[in-house]
Amino acid sequence: MKVTVAKTAGFCRGVRDALDVTLEAIKGLQDGESICTFGPLIHNRQVLAMLEEKGIIAEDKIENCAGKKVVIRAHGIPPQERKRLRRVGASLLDATCKRVARVQAAIKRHARKGFHTVIVGDADHAEVIGLMGYTEGRGVVISRPEQVDELPDNWDHVLLVAQTTQNEEIFRAIQERFRSKYPNSMIKNTICGSTHERQSEVRQMCSQVEALVIVGGYHSGNTIRLAEVAKECATPTYHVETETELDAQEMKRYSSVGVSAGASTPNWMIRNVVRYLESIQPEQNDVRFTIKRILEPLVYSNVFVAFGAALLTAAGQALTGNPGSLSYCLMAAFYVFAMHTLNLYLDRDAMRLNDPGRAAFYQHWKGIFTSISIAAVAVSLWMAAAAGVLAFLALGLLVLFGLLYAVPLFLPTWWQRLSVLKIKDIPASKTLFVPVAWASTTVILPYLGNFWSNFQQTLYAFWIIALFVLIRTALLDFLAVQGDRLVGKETIVVLLGETRTWHFISAILGLLAVSLMLGPISGLSTAFAYAMLPGVAAYGWCLRMCLQKPLKEDPVFETIIESVLIGMGLCALLYNFIITLWLT
């Protein structure tokens, strides 16, 4: 089955901001403090369940919020409720969507001038209830064009606004009637741009697929609206919260299915639906389906990761001119494989959210992977010992550091106040430590015995390999950012946000390109540095894809990211072979 995922599917900016405010509040809690949200933070049961696991309960009674830190939900609340919360001693953290806040401000401004306010939306929706609180008692909610005729004829000053997730077509129809009835009225189309884009994309997708699956909560207004838009296009539409609600036999009738999702639907839920649909065996042989089935076990088993590390050793040799050895490549491969695999078991929560398919794969093969990883550590240490005592001790420290990465540490009280109880809790630790570990294993460890004889070239190669692995790790972090945020995993994307990380990685790519061009000129590397420049361009394309297509097909995209390193390594093997022949 061909599955097309909408570019706009998933969290909108307002939802991301609300979650960021809430998760940052958790980190800042002092002893004895408690936190809650006033009403559900967003309309998604699965995300709310995750927040409950972190101790954040959604309270619907003001008296239950007394003395607590209270997060104002993304939909906003009436100003009267804000005052009552402050009276009971609540400390407010405002997570109201900025677009909703602008609508509230517009209503408040016009209400003070005596305007009546007409809100196009659902009267019982949290956002609309909040907006009504700013009308000073002169607000009316309508949801159909014919209701305009029921409004009083004698209103002189009238403001028309919309719930930010309202159906665009319905608002236009209401707007036409409203303008005819109140020629001098103020009309503000306050439908969120994100909502407009989602609905437009769904209409476009309806002409390209045989059926559409909309993923999101049944109480989510914008998700319901997406399903309505699809049905208006006469396309078979399925509104589901999870993949378990889809019938495989029924979905087999379609050869192409589109998937979109509401603004409060996390990527991992969309990904689950996509994986389920893609797992339905097509009646005719589909090359894309076959490729994904082949790639999944290779990616999940860290075969590409180990292969990439092995070949990066050859790249380091090509850059420095140091003599190569198969044992050096295998040492790096075994070490990287073991550390990546074991830490996935030690840090399962983020994987369960970001990639449920991989989580299930690892759980199924847990015994085998654990045994192989322990054996890989032993083999890598044995090979390091063959390279010398210093290499053995250095790799031993790297192994110890890797094993302790996700393990809680016994730390002084002053350190615990910083909320850093594991190495992985240090901000951006994974994104920064992985490149250092890879570059140390592939470039420095094999040559520690005579490190100072080729010091400058080795240090340069360390710099180049570390930058490539840094970019590779950050690109993979883009795939996992939502789950990482919820479980508190401090990657660079979580720390800086997607946009700032994009700019940061762009700068690193530029720095890497300049470094590669200057290496041979300055005598710090061989001419092989020039052969690595296409790798910079390939990662630039991957970075662009991270923003243009946030929900990527993981096994395929991960394979592309890992293949850049593998490709450079294969070029390095060829380069080393040619140089050897030339010298002999």
Side-chain angles (χ1 to χ4, degrees):
M1 175 184 293
K2 181 181 178 181
V3 181
T4 304
V5 183
K7 293 180 181 178
T8 54
F11 282 170
C12 68
R13 178 64 181 271
V15 169
R16 286 201 303 270
D17 289 347
L19 279 172
D20 285 347
V21 168
T22 307
L23 295 173
E24 284 299 317
I26 297 173
K27 294 179 185 178
L29 282 179
Q30 302 295 324
D31 292 340
E33 286 187 330
S34 57
I35 187 170
C36 67
T37 63
F38 187 58
L41 183 70
I42 60 175
H43 282 153
N44 185 277
R45 291 189 302 168
Q46 289 72 24
V47 173
L48 295 179
M50 285 295 303
L51 292 175
E52 281 190 19
E53 290 179 11
K54 291 181 170 292
I56 301 179
I57 307 297
E59 298 286 1
D60 55 4
K61 294 182 180 178
I62 289 178
E63 54 269 25
N64 293 341
C65 301
K68 297 180 181 179
K69 280 190 174 183
V70 180
V71 180
I72 304 300
R73 62 195 299 173
H75 311 97
I77 61 174
Q80 301 89 337
E81 291 182 346
R82 284 178 182 265
K83 292 177 182 178
R84 291 174 60 196
L85 284 168
R86 288 194 177 97
R87 286 196 201 106
V88 298
S91 176
L92 303 187
L93 300 170
D94 198 350
T96 305
C97 169
K98 290 181 175 59
R99 292 186 177 275
V100 174
R102 290 191 196 110
V103 185
Q104 292 174 346
I107 292 173
K108 181 179 179 179
R109 187 168 60 252
H110 285 83
R112 286 178 175 175
K113 297 177 182 179
F115 276 69
H116 290 82
T117 303
V118 178
I119 303 170
V120 180
D122 304 320
D124 57 350
H125 191 276
E127 179 188 333
V128 175
I129 292 171
L131 295 178
M132 284 291 288
Y134 290 87
T135 64
E136 296 187 2
R138 294 188 297 276
V140 178
V141 181
I142 64 174
S143 58
R144 302 187 311 277
E146 54 269 23
Q147 288 180 292
V148 174
D149 300 332
E150 301 170 9
L151 298 174
D153 296 324
N154 59 348
W155 284 353
D156 294 326
H157 304 290
V158 193
L159 171 68
L160 177 70
V161 296
Q163 180 182 338
T164 57
T165 56
Q166 188 54 234
N167 186 308
E168 191 90 34
E169 297 295 332
I170 292 176
F171 182 78
R172 284 202 197 99
I174 290 175
Q175 178 180 293
E176 289 179 11
R177 288 206 188 194
F178 194 83
R179 187 175 283 115
S180 298
K181 183 162 187 171
Y182 303 109
N184 299 320
S185 62
M186 289 288 296
I187 299 176
K188 292 182 178 292
N189 184 346
T190 53
I191 296 175
C192 173
S194 173
T195 299
H196 171 75
E197 290 171 6
R198 288 169 199 270
Q199 293 178 7
S200 297
E201 189 175 15
V202 164
R203 289 189 182 93
Q204 185 179 5
M205 288 180 70
C206 284
S207 62
Q208 301 169 348
V209 297
E210 296 177 8
L212 205 68
V213 176
I214 305 296
V215 189
Y218 295 126
H219 301 294
S220 168
N222 72 89
T223 307
I224 293 170
R225 231 80 67 192
L226 286 178
E228 289 174 351
V229 167
K231 290 174 182 176
E232 288 169 3
C233 298
T235 301
T237 304
Y238 303 86
H239 178 184
V240 300
E241 283 194 347
T242 68
E243 74 282 1
T244 58
E245 298 164 40
L246 289 169
D247 186 340
Q249 293 301 318
E250 186 171 357
M251 300 310 295
K252 273 186 178 180
R253 297 184 301 173
Y254 310 112
S255 59
S256 62
V257 177
V259 176
S260 187
S264 54
T265 307
N267 278 352
W268 71 81
M269 291 181 63
I270 307 171
R271 194 171 291 129
N272 284 352
V273 171
V274 172
R275 286 184 183 279
Y276 177 80
L277 291 171
E278 289 180 338
S279 69
I280 299 174
Q281 182 68 45
E283 295 180 0
Q284 297 180 348
N285 187 33
D286 188 337
V287 176
R288 291 171 68 252
F289 180 86
T290 304
I291 290 173
K292 285 183 181 180
R293 295 290 80 81
I294 293 172
L295 289 179
E296 277 187 359
L298 292 175
V299 170
Y300 291 169
S301 61
N302 285 327
V303 169
F304 285 136
V305 173
F307 196 33
L311 291 174
L312 277 183
T313 304
Q317 295 161 5
L319 284 170
T320 59
N322 286 328
S325 169
L326 178 61
S327 64
Y328 297 160
C329 296
L330 292 176
M331 178 181 69
F334 285 130
Y335 165 76
V336 169
F337 170 83
M339 292 301 99
H340 276 256
T341 304
L342 290 174
N343 272 298
L344 283 171
Y345 283 115
L346 292 172
D347 196 22
R348 292 184 296 271
D349 289 342
M351 182 171 61
R352 180 167 54 86
L353 292 179
N354 292 320
D355 197 340
R358 179 175 298 190
F361 179 86
Y362 271 99
Q363 186 60 35
H364 181 73
W365 300 102
K366 182 177 181 179
I368 292 176
F369 272 114
T370 303
S371 301
I372 293 175
S373 298
I374 293 172
V377 170
V379 172
S380 64
L381 287 171
W382 175 71
M383 289 181 168
V389 176
L390 286 177
F392 175 78
L393 293 175
L395 187 61
L397 287 174
L398 285 174
V399 168
L400 180 63
F401 187 84
L403 292 175
L404 292 176
Y405 179 73
V407 176
L409 304 176
F410 295 98
L411 298 170
T413 305
W414 65 270
W415 185 273
Q416 293 181 22
R417 289 197 189 104
L418 299 177
S419 301
V420 180
L421 300 178
K422 303 174 186 176
I423 296 173
K424 79 178 188 67
D425 293 331
I426 299 173
S429 57
K430 173 195 167 189
T431 317
L432 299 176
F433 291 163
V434 168
V436 172
W438 278 48
S440 298
T441 311
T442 57
V443 177
I444 294 181
L445 260 64
Y447 310 105
L448 273 178
N450 57 348
F451 179 71
W452 296 106
S453 63
N454 202 16
F455 170 71
Q456 291 181 325
Q457 289 78 8
T458 302
L459 200 60
Y460 173 83
F462 177 91
W463 168 256
I464 294 298
I465 298 300
L467 287 182
F468 266 112
V469 179
L470 170 64
I471 295 164
R472 168 252 178 211
T473 307
L475 289 172
L476 292 175
D477 288 343
F478 269 102
L479 292 174
V481 61
Q482 289 186 2
D484 288 345
R485 276 197 184 105
L486 278 176
V487 300
K489 197 172 183 180
E490 295 284 4
T491 65
I492 195 168
V493 188
V494 173
L495 182 67
L496 300 180
E498 287 97 324
T499 303
R500 287 181 180 175
T501 303
W502 190 90
H503 290 302
F504 172 75
I505 298 302
S506 296
I508 295 296
L509 283 167
L511 177 62
L512 180 55
V514 171
S515 298
L516 287 170
M517 288 186 286
L518 292 179
I521 297 173
S522 62
L524 291 174
S525 76
T526 66
F528 180 72
Y530 297 138
M532 300 181 81
L533 285 169
V536 178
Y539 273 159
W541 177 84
C542 291
L543 181 62
R544 183 181 175 190
M545 290 295 292
C546 283
L547 283 189
Q548 287 188 346
K549 193 179 179 185
L551 189 71
K552 292 156 283 293
E553 300 167 349
D554 289 353
V556 176
F557 195 70
E558 283 192 46
T559 302
I560 293 171
I561 291 173
E562 303 291 6
S563 294
V564 173
L565 301 184
I566 293 171
M568 288 191 301
L570 291 173
C571 290
L573 287 177
L574 179 61
Y575 177 88
N576 290 334
F577 177 72
I578 293 173
I579 292 298
T580 303
L581 287 179
W582 181 269
L583 294 176
T584 56

